[in-house]
Every structure is written in structure tokens, then in C-alpha cells.
């Protein structure tokens, strides 16, 4: 509050007769400064505008949160192994070829799990390097 | 505490028996809580948007937040042509979100902690995405199983892997949601049991842990609703633009 008044006093001493137009100009300049500051703040706010959930809960904008990523990866490996193991076990019972098909399918399941994790990692890296890395 | 087993909370109870031919189509507590979450979600979205104000109030901005969140997710993950599937993805997200969140209310029931519920949703996504893929790309959809730029002798190994990984999708999708919900609720109950059995002397330690766990569970309820929908979006993306 004391800043502008001091400024005006100072200006009044310097150019006493042309005070009214100078004052007007000063108010104009001050307003323009204020508008500029508002503009900067608006711009800053606009950058975050499409972040409806803020930074913390906004996975749609940025890549997956670490926790979501961890869940995706771990479940991917376990489920691929489990499903392939089950298919092998079931086919073994069907064809009466006990452990062999299950062994083959477990290896295959391991491959599937690794492949899926590799893909998740690749997509995440793409997203990390250039905005939207998806194709 | 009348139920001592931490798994008793997942028990299905028939509320109204409906024998439908040989099929047991009874109205259970699971159906009841799914219905409650549908009614609450509908009420939340319609009532909060009733005003249709230019400057939204609290409720309206909450509804708009959910809408915008899903719309952004769809735009970022599906890309072009994803807009048409917004109603389905939005419904899926809101349904799972409400089911998961209502599960955090004491004495409630969490339908998403049953694998058959999550598996049904995952299968709907899986079949729908497969049909969309074939309609949009014809046999070109099969390119999804043939990674480009790979020598033929590697394709012999990679194609079966890709095919299996495609069919594993609905299972991993449903297991992820169900395991999270079931594990979290079981943990809460187990530690609840510790509080009771340790009593006034040492029960405070697990109680503190439960407080932290409850916060984490609420986070997981939202996170898993998001993960389920975002993966559905990714599968939809694969169906619309196969062959990466």
C-alpha cells in the first residue's frame, strides 16, 4: 500500500503542473502491469486445466502411476504362467502325456508373461520420451 | 463380532429366491449392492447435472470431473475413433468405481471382490473388442498377432505367444481387480481381528495400521477402477489400429 503512494508523492514533486495526466497514465500503466500478471497466472492455470484430478490423481494425462504399473506387471506374469500351466495340465490329461505338454506350455507362459511386461515397459518408455508415444 | 473368519464377508447370501428353470437366478446381496451402486451413480450424475449451470456448483463440477477424466483417458489411449465408445467406457468406469467405493462402507458388500463379476465384465470387453476389431479391419485384425519387422523363424515362436497373450487378457484383467479388492478387504478384517484379540493393551498398534490401510484401500478402489478402464481403452486401441 505504501509503495504506490510514495511513488505518486515522488512524481508530484518532480512534475507538479502536469500531475493529472501523469496520474492517469500511471494508473493506466499500473493496470497494464496487473493485467500482465493476471495473464501470466491465467496461462499457468491453463497449462494445468486439462488435469481434472490434479497432479496426484491424474493418470489420464501422465503415464501410469507407479502403483498401477506395478500391479499391471505382476499380475501379467502370474496370470500368463497360471493360465498356460492350466492349459498344459488339461491337455496332458486329455492326451495322457503327463508332464510334457505342461512343461511346454509353462515355458510358453513364461514367454507370454515376459513379452507382455516388455510391451508395458516399451509403451511406458515411449510415453516418457515424447508426449504420446502410442503409434 | 459375530463372524470370525476374515473371508465371511465375501459370502453370497440369497435375499430373494428365484428358481428359473434349473438355473438359480436368486437375488443375492451381491445383486443388491450392484443395484445400489447403479442407483447411486445414476442419482449422482442426473441430480448433479440437473441445474446445468454455466458456472458449476460443487456437485455439478464433481460430475463434470468424472466425465472429463474418462473423456481424457479415452482420447489419450484410444485416439481417433474412440469417441463413439465413450458411453460404454464411462459406464464401465463409473460402475466399477461405485462398486469399489461402496465396498469401503462398513457392513457393505463388494461385488467386485468376486471373480465371476469382474470376469463377466472383462469378457464383455474382450468379446466386444474382438468383434469391433474384425468389423473395422476385417482379416487385417489378425495382423495384431504378427509383430512387424521380425524374421520368420522368430515368428514361429512369437505368433503363439501373441495369440496366447491375447486370450490371457480377460483373465488378467479380471484377476487384477478381484485380487485387489479381495486382498484389501481380507487384510482389513484380519487386522480388525487383531485389534479385538489384543484388546485395550496392545490393540492400538493394529488399529493405527488399519487407519493407514483404510486410506490405502480407498486409493486402491479408485486406482483399480482406473486400471480396468484404461486397459479396456488400450485393448480398444489395438482393435481400432492393429499392427504396431
Amino acid at each position: 500500500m505504501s509503495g504506490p503512494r510514495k511513488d505518486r508523492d515522488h512524481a508530484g514533486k518532480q512534475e507538479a503542473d502536469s500531475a493529472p495526466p501523469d496520474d492517469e497514465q500511471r494508473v493506466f500503466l499500473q493496470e497494464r502491469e496487473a493485467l500482465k500478471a493476471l495473464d501470466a497466472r491465467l496461462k499457468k492455470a491453463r497449462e494445468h486445466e486439462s488435469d481434472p484430478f490434479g497432479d496426484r490423481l491424474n493418470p489420464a494425462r501422465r503415464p501410469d502411476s507407479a502403483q498401477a504399473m506395478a500391479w499391471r506387471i505382476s499380475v501379467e506374469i502370474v496370470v500368463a504362467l497360471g493360465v498356460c500351466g492350466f492349459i498344459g495340465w488339461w491337455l496332458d490329461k486329455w492326451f495322457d502325456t503327463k508332464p510334457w505338454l505342461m512343461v511346454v506350455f509353462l515355458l510358453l507362459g513364461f514367454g507370454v508373461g515376459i513379452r507382455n511386461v516388455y510391451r508395458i515397459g516399451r509403451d511406458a518408455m515411449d510415453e516418457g520420451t515424447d508426449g504420446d508415444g502410442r503409434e | 463380532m459375530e463372524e470370525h473368519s476374515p473371508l465371511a464377508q465375501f459370502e453370497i447370501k440369497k435375499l430373494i429366491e428365484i428358481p428359473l428353470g434349473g438355473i438359480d437366478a436368486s437375488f443375492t446381496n451381491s445383486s443388491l449392492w450392484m443395484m445400489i451402486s447403479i442407483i447411486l451413480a445414476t442419482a449422482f450424475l442426473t441430480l448433479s447435472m440437473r441445474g446445468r449451470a454455466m458456472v458449476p456448483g460443487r456437485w455439478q463440477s464433481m460430475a463434470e470431473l468424472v466425465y472429463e477424466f474418462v473423456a481424457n483417458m479415452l482420447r489419450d489411449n484410444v485416439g481417433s475413433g474412440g469417441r463413439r465408445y465413450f458411453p460404454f467406457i464411462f459406464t464401465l468406469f463409473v460402475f466399477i468405481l461405485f462398486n469399489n467405493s461402496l465396498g469401503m462402507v462398513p457392513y457393505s458388500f463388494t461385488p467386485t471382490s468376486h471373480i465371476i463379476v469382474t470376469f463377466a465384465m472383462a469378457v464383455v470387453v474382450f468379446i466386444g473388442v474382438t468383434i469391433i476389431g474384425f468389423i473395422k479391419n476385417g482379416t487385417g485384425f489378425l495382423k495384431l498377432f504378427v509383430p512387424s519387422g521380425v524374421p520368420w523363424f522368430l515368428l514361429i515362436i512369437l505368433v503363439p505367444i501373441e495369440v496366447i497373450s491375447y486370450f490371457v487378457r480377460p483373465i488378467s484383467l479380471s484377476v487384477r481387480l478381484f485380487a485387489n479388492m479381495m486382498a484389501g478387504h481380507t487384510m482389513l478384517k484380519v487386522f480388525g481381528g487383531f485389534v479385538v484379540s489384543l484388546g485395550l493393551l496392545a490393540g492400538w498398534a493394529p488399529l493405527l495400521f488399519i487407519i493407514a490401510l483404510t486410506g490405502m484401500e480407498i486409493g486402491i478402489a479408485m486406482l483399480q477402477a482406473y486400471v480396468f478402464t484404461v486397459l479396456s481403452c488400450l485393448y480398444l486401441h489395438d482393435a481400432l489400429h492393429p499392427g504396431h
Side-chain angles (χ1 to χ4, degrees), chain A residues 42-87:
Chain A
L42 270 175
K43 208 172 160 189
K44 212 170 170 187
R46 284 238 172 78
E47 277 166 18
H48 291 279
E49 191 184 34
S50 44
D51 290 25
F53 280 50
D55 263 2
R56 193 170 49 84
L57 248 183
N58 176 30
R61 204 67 205 149
R62 49 178 56 216
D64 290 346
S65 74
Q67 207 189 0
M69 178 82 95
W71 268 106
R72 278 182 68 183
I73 289 175
S74 53
V75 169
E76 213 70 66
I77 292 186
V78 171
V79 168
L81 262 178
V83 168
C84 285
F86 179 76
I87 293 174

Side-chain angles (χ1 to χ4, degrees), chain B residues 140-153:
Chain B
F141 182 55
L142 295 174
K143 266 194 299 191
L144 187 69
F145 302 121
V146 188
S148 55
V150 176
W152 65 269
F153 53 90

Side-chain angles (χ1 to χ4, degrees), chain B residues 45-63:
Chain B
L45 289 169
T46 48
L47 291 183
S48 59
M49 289 311 288
R50 203 177 38 182
R52 286 194 180 75
M54 270 302 276
V55 180
R58 269 190 213 117
W59 286 95
Q60 190 182 336
S61 73
M62 253 156 70

Side-chain angles (χ1 to χ4, degrees), chain B residues 111-165:
Chain B
T112 41
S113 65
H114 279 261
I115 191 161
I116 193 63
V117 175
T118 59
F119 188 66
M121 289 189 285
V123 161
V124 169
V125 170
F126 177 75
I127 294 177
V129 159
T130 311
I131 291 173
I132 289 169
F134 275 115
I135 287 177
K136 292 274 168 183
N137 308 287
T139 48
F141 182 55
L142 295 174
K143 266 194 299 191
L144 187 69
F145 302 121
V146 188
S148 55
V150 176
W152 65 269
F153 53 90
L154 270 182
L155 278 184
I156 297 173
I157 310 169
L158 276 181
V159 169
I161 284 182
E162 290 289 334
V163 172
I164 293 177
S165 91

Side-chain angles (χ1 to χ4, degrees), chain A residues 4 7 11-12 17 39-40 50 67 69 74 84 87 89 95 101 129 132 134:
Chain A
D7 259 359
D17 27 25
D39 233 25
S50 44
Q67 207 189 0
M69 178 82 95
S74 53
C84 285
I87 293 174
W89 173 80
F95 294 119
L101 281 175
T129 47
D132 50 350
R134 193 157 297 286

Side-chain angles (χ1 to χ4, degrees), chain A residues 11-29:
Chain A
K13 256 179 216 163
Q14 270 191 341
E15 302 167 50
D17 27 25
S18 63
D22 185 56
D23 227 27
E24 232 166 70
Q25 200 184 3
R26 188 169 304 281
V27 168
F28 172 73
L29 279 176

